[in-house]
C-alpha cells in the first residue's frame, strides 16, 4: 500500500515498509529528471546507498541521508514534466 498526492506537476508517494521496531515505516518516493547524476551527487555528499540503481518498471535507488532518513528516487517519466 502507498499514499500518493499530486500538486501541479509534482507527486509525493509514501510506501509502507515492513520491518523491525525502530526501522523506517515509510520512505518518500521522489521523481528526478537525471537519476544517474542525482545518484552520484547523493553518494558524494554522504548518503548511504541502501539499494543501488535498478530497474523495476522504472529506474530507482534508495538511500539514507546523514540524518538517518531514507529516500527513494526514481527517473521522472516524460509525461510528468
Amino acid at each position: 500500500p502507498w499514499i500518493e498526492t499530486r500538486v501541479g506537476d509534482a507527486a509525493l508517494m509514501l510506501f509502507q515498509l515492513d520491518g523491525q521496531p525502530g526501522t523506517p515505516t515509510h520512505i518518500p518516493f521522489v521523481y528526478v529528471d537525471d537519476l544517474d547524476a542525482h545518484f552520484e551527487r547523493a553518494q558524494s555528499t554522504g548518503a548511504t546507498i541502501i539499494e543501488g540503481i535498478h530497474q523495476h518498471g522504472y529506474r530507482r535507488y534508495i538511500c539514507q541521508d546523514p540524518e538517518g532518513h531514507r529516500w527513494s528516487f526514481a527517473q521522472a517519466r516524460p509525461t510528468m514534466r
Side-chain angles (χ1 to χ4, degrees):
W2 70 87
I3 298 169
E4 180 175 354
T5 184
R6 294 178 180 267
V7 177
D9 291 337
L12 174 65
M13 298 170 68
L14 296 173
F15 289 86
Q16 183 175 353
L17 298 178
D18 297 321
Q20 302 297 320
T23 60
T25 58
H26 290 81
I27 296 178
F29 190 101
V30 181
Y31 285 107
V32 296
D33 289 329
D34 185 341
L35 189 67
D36 296 300
H38 194 276
F39 180 82
E40 292 298 322
R41 189 169 52 252
Q43 278 190 310
S44 69
T45 57
T48 300
I49 304 304
I50 304 299
E51 291 181 18
I53 294 175
H54 62 281
Q55 185 78 31
H56 185 70
Y58 45 82
R59 294 178 68 228
R60 77 169 183 151
Y61 75 94
I62 298 174
C63 68
Q64 182 169 299
D65 68 27
E67 294 179 357
H69 304 102
R70 289 195 180 180
W71 299 83
S72 179
F73 294 97
Q75 185 80 39
R77 296 185 315 261
T79 57
M80 293 188 68
R81 293 184 188 153

